[in-house]
Amino acid sequence: MSTQDIVLDREGLAEVPVIEPGHTLASVTEKISDIVLVRPLSIGWVAGFLACASLVGVLGVAVGYLFYKGTGIWGINIPVGWGFAIVNFVWWIGIGHAGTLISAILHLLRQSWRNSINRFAEAMTLFAVMCAGVFPLIHVGRPWLAYWLFPIPNTMGVWPQFRSPLLWDVFAVSTYATISAVFWYTGLIPDLATLRDRATTPIPRFIYGALALGWRGEARHWHRYESAYLLLAGLSTPLVLSVHTVVSFDFAISIMPGWHTTVFPPYFVAGAIYSGFAMVLILAIPVRAVYNLKDMITERHLENAAKVMLATGLIVAYGYILEIYMAWYSGPKSIDWFTVHNRFFGPYAGPYWALWICNIIIPQVLWIKSVRRSPFLLFLISLVVLAGMWLERFVIVILSLHRDFVPSSWGMYYPTKWDWATYFGTIGLFLMLIFLFVRVLPMISIFEIRMLLPEAEAKHK
Amino acid sequence: MSTEVSTLSRLNPADFAVPAAMDKIRSRSLVVGVFFGLLALIGYFTSPDAFFRAYLLGFMAWLGVSLGSLGLLLVIHLTNGRWGLVIRRILEAAAKNCWIMFFLFIPLCLGVPRLYPWAKADLLANSESLRWIHGEYLSLDKFAARGAVYFAIWLLLIHFFTEWSKQQDSPGNRSHSRLGALAGPGALLFGFTITFAAVDWVMSLSYGWTSTIYGLLFLIGQLLSALCLATIVAVILARYEPMKALLHIDHLHDYGKFMLTFTMVWAYFAFSQWLIMWAGNLPEEITWYKDRLHGGWQYFGLFLALFHFVVPFMMLLSAQLKKNKGTLVKVACWMLFMRYLDLYWLIMPNFENKGGFYFHWLNVVVPVAIGGVWVALFFRNLQGRPLLPLYAPLTGAVLEPAHE
């Protein structure tokens, strides 16, 4: 028995395989590739795709009108200069993190259960980063000048401020997007070749063939592939930490109460992984039901994802509690204590307590094993967590800005319909890309699942 | 898994006893502890202020090894890694030493008026904020009571983790599921108690300065200390049977990887705290760094950055180094020393000699005195049990890796 496939049950020596028994090399290939190549379009898929596409239309209108009128159509004002755009940016970037964690870190830790979910988790990362990238670009107000963000030598003497974490963010996010895309594509190559070989009509064969870059499955190809993949996993690993750390610096480097606190870097990273795993579950649970993949995305996968959610959720709770504790410890006259008081009892107390309920209180049911193994409950909890993590960013961005040191500059923030339209529009964009993805690419890595079969064991040691 | 059953039925606890050669280390460290303890006693009568500062340093350093061992035990039971089984008994013996740290906490309470600004009448008279925290939170009785609660939680956790582990020395036990079930809530309690203890015992030396990542900085430092100690002891034991056969090169490699990870996480936390405070440049925060980056302390800080992170980081990247007993132990010893220096840098600049770097011979003597006793008792704890839990689920896999 391969060491990597053994997990110990709580009771002792029972073994739980990563995938259900009964599969052969051929049946794995057939089952996954047929979803792309053979399965006809269903009404459900078309309806879902069109619904999401219409939300993308809404996004187009919202952004178009924004470019025509300017950021005045949003609810932002002085003092709340960072509204929904930054809330949504951080939310989306965070969601992407689970994909990188699953594909890179779990690969390095030799966690073979990741093989069933890494492909679509990586796709999720890529699409989430795309959605995130929309916001800073449109938030600058003059999107045609967005290239000013980059240090491009020019005659105008415009040069970015390298001490600003906002600039670090440009590099962090663009590096992240690049590495994630390359990592994803590299992992896809052997499967693209499988699709090329199995395609029965010329157009898919041509497209998959071009994308497969001449992969023939030679020993040399595999050798180079494995080294490249390992190197990319190594490159991606620090990105799991660095990207959201830099995002947390966007806030913490300033001296705004509620932003300027040292626990932000690890707590942002934990929060990112928390929301990311929630999104993985939200996608995995319906997909495994609709495409009948319960034998490959098993209850064990769901349970492991739930455990990661529970652990990262508790780290997030640690962050919340520490912020309150340190504010209290600083004394009743400290600005930090005022900030906490304002969160508890101020005009935005509703979102604040909703955040506690969604992010901390409800997810505690994940301590119960039967909950972790119930797809339906996990789906609901994941929705709650995603809402909670969105509220967390809302609390951080809006509640900190709306009341700072000087009471005369206090204000309120109310999102407009354009704020909501842009937000829901990106959700539509994300889901539309997921809908396309499951139909045109193998959503589960075919060759990595084959490695989990007993036949592959000796080679994969 | 028929191979495991056949192996397990042959196990004899005597084959897994701690080698007799450890008696020598045990008695020698006790001699060192007593000798340095006497020196420390002289220091206590000649310069009590310096004594208590050094005492706090030694207390935090050795408490860190005990608590870090508890932390690693929690990680092992949460993840069921095979790497953990081989050093589990070492970690359990180290964690059990939390008892002596509890007794050593009592003298610390006696030193409170000499150490903490919130216990000094002249400072209290001049500061409203200090009077407020003194009334609400930081007073000797509350300090002692909270300390008792932290120790009660730690000792209770350690009690369960060592007792249930002991049951795994006999066949047919059901400890595995209980150990796993306690590890989750245990980790939660562990994280919070260490944070609050770090605030009480070290952060409150400079009341008025706060950092929300402070507890995590201690937590990761303790895990690193415990891992280094466990690696050193495992390699020493591996000169003899049974550890000679048990400590596989892959395990060493794993300990090296953990060492690298903890070193990186330590640097990540320390750097984040510094960057955020440096960029913020607020008077109530940056003063803490001013004390630590001027008057000679800046070289100390630079030394920490280079030798608690940069150099060990680069060395530990090498797989060869991690798989070699000799080199890995050297790095582990060095990192334990760096843990001491890191605590030195956190604690010592808090005191009056803010003009410059502060060194007192007691800062070496007291930690060594506590360490001598600690190590002696550690080996006594270790000798009480077989070096491997004989009937834990992974025991068979560790004993006969060839069958995998």
Side-chain angles (χ1 to χ4, degrees):
Chain A
M1 193 70 194
S2 159
T3 52
Q4 291 149 13
D5 301 348
I6 297 175
V7 258
L8 283 164
D9 202 36
R10 279 271 176 251
E11 298 311 313
L13 286 165
E15 288 164 31
V16 183
V18 179
I19 55 173
E20 297 288 327
H23 270 297
T24 62
L25 295 172
S27 73
V28 167
T29 310
E30 200 171 317
K31 183 156 186 178
I32 302 172
S33 62
D34 279 2
I35 296 173
V36 179
L37 295 172
V38 179
R39 195 182 164 102
L41 275 186
S42 67
I43 295 175
W45 186 91
V46 174
F49 178 78
L50 289 179
C52 296
S54 61
L55 273 178
V56 177
V58 172
L59 177 67
V61 172
V63 172
Y65 188 56
L66 174 81
F67 288 174
Y68 172 70
K69 284 289 268 193
T71 48
I73 64 165
W74 289 349
I76 51 172
N77 54 36
I78 301 299
V80 186
W82 281 7
F84 262 35
I86 302 302
V87 174
N88 298 337
F89 163 73
V90 180
W91 189 68
W92 277 120
I93 279 281
I95 285 170
H97 277 60
T100 323
L101 181 97
I102 290 169
S103 51
I105 294 189
L106 296 186
H107 179 67
L108 294 181
L109 294 177
R110 288 170 273 161
Q111 296 287 315
S112 56
W113 61 273
R114 78 181 255 294
N115 287 8
S116 307
I117 54 172
N118 68 332
R119 172 70 48 74
F120 79 78
E122 283 171 46
M124 178 196 87
T125 296
L126 216 53
F127 303 153
V129 173
M130 285 180 197
C131 293
V134 169
F135 287 102
L137 285 184
I138 61 176
H139 195 237
V140 293
R142 295 169 180 80
W144 53 92
L145 298 179
Y147 69 92
W148 284 12
L149 291 167
F150 295 96
I152 302 166
N154 59 67
T155 53
M156 299 174 291
V158 178
W159 194 248
Q161 166 59 281
F162 274 92
R163 274 198 183 184
S164 164
L166 300 180
L167 181 70
W168 311 340
D169 231 2
V170 173
F171 292 107
V173 174
S174 50
T175 309
Y176 187 48
T178 314
I179 299 280
S180 302
V182 173
F183 195 32
W184 185 58
Y185 180 59
T186 307
L188 266 168
I189 289 174
D191 280 0
L192 288 169
T194 305
L195 291 183
R196 170 199 65 198
D197 297 344
R198 293 180 64 86
T200 46
T201 45
I203 295 173
R205 193 183 302 148
F206 175 77
I207 295 173
Y208 290 125
L211 289 172
L213 303 178
W215 178 273
R216 294 184 306 278
E218 251 184 69
R220 267 188 309 174
H221 289 182
W222 280 111
H223 178 69
R224 283 171 193 158
Y225 168 84
E226 290 284 348
S227 335
Y229 197 75
L230 197 64
L231 280 174
L232 283 168
L235 274 177
S236 306
T237 299
L239 290 173
V240 178
L241 288 177
S242 67
V243 177
H244 232 60
T245 297
V246 170
V247 172
S248 83
F249 286 156
D250 290 344
F251 301 98
I253 290 287
S254 78
I255 54 167
M256 181 63 65
W259 288 5
H260 182 71
T261 181
T262 51
V263 82
F264 258 29
Y267 142 83
F268 262 57
V269 171
I273 295 166
Y274 190 32
S275 59
F277 268 86
M279 187 60 101
V280 167
L281 285 175
I282 284 176
L283 299 178
I285 289 168
V287 160
R288 76 197 267 277
V290 171
Y291 292 102
N292 196 21
L293 295 168
K294 287 178 187 167
D295 45 355
M296 291 181 189
I297 305 174
T298 61
E299 279 183 358
R300 190 180 147 200
H301 293 100
L302 304 185
E303 191 178 0
N304 283 357
K307 281 181 184 169
V308 175
M309 263 169 59
L310 181 61
T312 47
L314 288 169
I315 298 174
V316 169
Y318 176 91
Y320 297 165
I321 292 170
L322 256 284
E323 272 190 275
I324 297 168
Y325 167 73
M326 285 296 175
W328 174 81
Y329 176 88
S330 302
K333 288 185 179 167
S334 70
I335 184 77
D336 295 321
W337 184 238
F338 166 78
T339 305
V340 167
H341 196 269
N342 184 45
R343 285 178 178 180
F344 283 4
F345 309 110
Y348 292 107
Y352 180 75
W353 293 113
L355 148 75
W356 267 86
I357 292 167
C358 293
N359 255 3
I360 311 296
I361 295 168
I362 292 177
Q364 296 313 311
V365 296
L366 293 174
W367 286 96
I368 304 161
K369 190 177 179 132
S370 56
V371 174
R372 291 199 301 263
R373 290 194 162 239
S374 153
F376 177 68
L377 289 177
L378 276 184
F379 187 78
L380 290 185
I381 293 166
S382 301
L383 282 176
V384 167
V385 167
L386 275 183
M389 284 309 295
W390 188 87
L391 284 167
E392 181 197 295
R393 278 64 178 255
F394 181 87
V395 165
I396 290 171
V397 173
I398 280 96
L399 270 73
S400 305
L401 285 173
H402 95 117
R403 286 184 175 178
D404 66 358
F405 301 98
V406 188
S408 61
S409 65
W410 289 359
M412 289 294 287
Y413 169 85
Y414 302 102
T416 63
K417 59 178 187 255
W418 296 108
D419 283 305
W420 289 110
T422 318
Y423 176 45
F424 288 123
T426 52
I427 293 178
L429 175 65
F430 176 81
L431 291 176
M432 185 185 82
L433 290 168
I434 292 283
F435 267 100
L436 281 175
F437 163 71
V438 300
R439 288 302 314 213
V440 300
L441 290 169
M443 69 179 116
I444 297 179
S445 175
I446 300 172
F447 74 96
E448 282 175 310
I449 288 285
R450 289 193 299 221
M451 281 183 191
L452 298 178
L453 297 173
E455 293 95 309
E457 188 193 315
K459 285 157 261 168
H460 187 55
K461 180 85 194 205
Chain B
M1 288 224 173
S2 55
T3 52
E4 289 197 9
V5 176
S6 65
T7 318
L8 294 178
S9 57
R10 290 200 303 270
L11 292 181
N12 175 9
D15 294 341
F16 293 90
V18 176
M22 295 305 117
D23 284 337
K24 210 194 274 176
I25 302 182
R26 188 182 142 185
S27 52
R28 279 182 189 173
S29 46
L30 191 64
V31 170
V32 169
V34 171
F35 175 70
F36 277 79
L38 289 173
L39 282 181
L41 213 59
I42 297 171
Y44 171 70
F45 289 111
T46 53
S47 41
D49 277 346
F51 171 82
F52 278 112
R53 291 167 193 180
Y55 188 86
L56 179 64
L57 175 61
F59 175 80
M60 289 310 295
W62 289 101
L63 178 79
V65 186
S66 285
L67 289 184
S69 301
L70 171 63
L72 286 178
L73 285 173
L74 294 165
V75 174
I76 289 169
H77 290 300
L78 277 173
T79 57
N80 276 322
R82 193 174 310 177
W83 58 274
L85 195 70
V86 181
I87 51 166
R88 224 172 85 186
R89 286 287 149 93
I90 300 173
L91 295 170
E92 285 167 12
K96 265 197 205 165
N97 264 358
C98 202
W99 272 109
I100 43 165
M101 299 321 294
F102 172 63
F103 289 114
L104 290 175
F105 177 64
I106 298 164
L108 185 68
C109 293
L110 299 177
V112 161
R114 292 184 182 274
L115 287 171
Y116 298 94
W118 45 264
K120 292 181 178 166
D122 52 332
L123 295 175
L124 279 175
N126 292 328
S127 163
E128 193 192 331
S129 65
L130 218 48
R131 278 199 299 278
W132 175 81
I133 198 78
H134 182 66
E136 293 286 328
Y137 194 63
L138 294 171
S139 57
L140 180 56
D141 49 343
K142 288 179 183 136
F143 177 92
R146 275 198 305 274
V149 172
Y150 306 144
F151 272 104
I153 292 170
W154 297 330
L155 290 171
L156 218 62
L157 282 173
I158 290 164
H159 171 78
F160 286 122
F161 278 106
T162 51
E163 282 309 302
W164 291 345
S165 169
K166 189 179 168 187
Q167 291 171 8
Q168 291 190 322
D169 289 337
S170 27
N173 68 78
R174 309 284 288 173
S175 296
H176 182 69
S177 52
R178 280 194 280 176
L179 285 164
L182 185 62
L188 200 60
L189 282 170
F190 176 73
F192 278 106
T193 46
I194 281 188
T195 303
F196 293 130
V199 172
D200 278 3
W201 300 342
V202 188
M203 192 160 137
S204 78
L205 287 169
S206 50
Y207 180 70
W209 179 84
T210 56
S211 168
T212 40
I213 205 172
Y214 199 71
L216 295 179
L217 211 48
F218 273 79
L219 182 86
I220 195 69
Q222 295 179 345
L223 292 179
L224 179 60
S225 312
L227 181 77
C228 290
L229 184 99
T231 309
I232 297 166
V233 174
V235 170
I236 294 175
L237 286 170
R239 289 185 200 153
Y240 314 92
E241 289 297 344
M243 201 53 124
K244 202 174 189 173
L246 294 176
L247 187 68
H248 198 261
I249 208 159
D250 289 342
H251 299 139
L252 273 183
H253 195 191
D254 284 342
Y255 307 146
K257 287 179 194 165
F258 272 107
M259 230 177 268
L260 176 65
T261 310
F262 292 159
T263 305
M264 286 198 290
V265 174
W266 173 85
Y268 169 63
F269 288 168
F271 174 76
S272 299
Q273 179 179 285
W274 173 78
L275 182 71
I276 289 168
M277 293 201 169
W278 172 81
N281 207 22
L282 294 171
E284 63 267 31
E285 284 178 354
I286 200 68
T287 42
W288 192 86
Y289 276 106
K290 277 196 76 182
D291 291 343
R292 279 159 186 77
L293 295 172
H294 289 92
W297 288 109
Q298 69 270 40
Y299 305 111
F300 204 112
L302 189 66
F303 189 81
L304 275 177
L306 286 176
F307 293 98
H308 196 312
F309 173 60
V310 177
V311 173
F313 167 74
M314 301 228 257
M315 290 174 75
L316 285 168
L317 283 176
S318 149
Q320 230 172 349
L321 181 146
K322 283 179 283 196
K323 287 177 180 173
N324 181 310
K325 281 180 195 157
T327 47
L328 189 67
V329 160
K330 281 189 193 115
V331 175
C333 290
W334 178 254
M335 290 316 289
L336 267 184
F337 177 60
M338 291 314 292
R339 287 306 311 140
Y340 162 79
L341 288 190
D342 183 39
L343 288 169
Y344 197 110
W345 193 70
L346 289 175
I347 293 171
M348 292 304 164
N350 285 305
F351 302 112
E352 287 101 69
N353 323 47
K354 282 187 176 174
F357 180 72
Y358 167 75
F359 178 79
H360 195 284
W361 57 275
L362 280 168
N363 291 346
V364 176
V365 167
V366 181
V368 173
I370 297 177
V373 178
W374 194 98
V375 172
L377 288 171
F378 162 78
F379 276 104
R380 202 190 67 132
N381 295 339
L382 193 64
Q383 284 167 331
R385 306 250 169 102
L387 273 176
L388 200 68
L390 300 179
Y391 297 90
L394 282 168
T395 307
V398 167
L399 287 177
E400 295 191 16
H403 285 285
E404 296 289 316

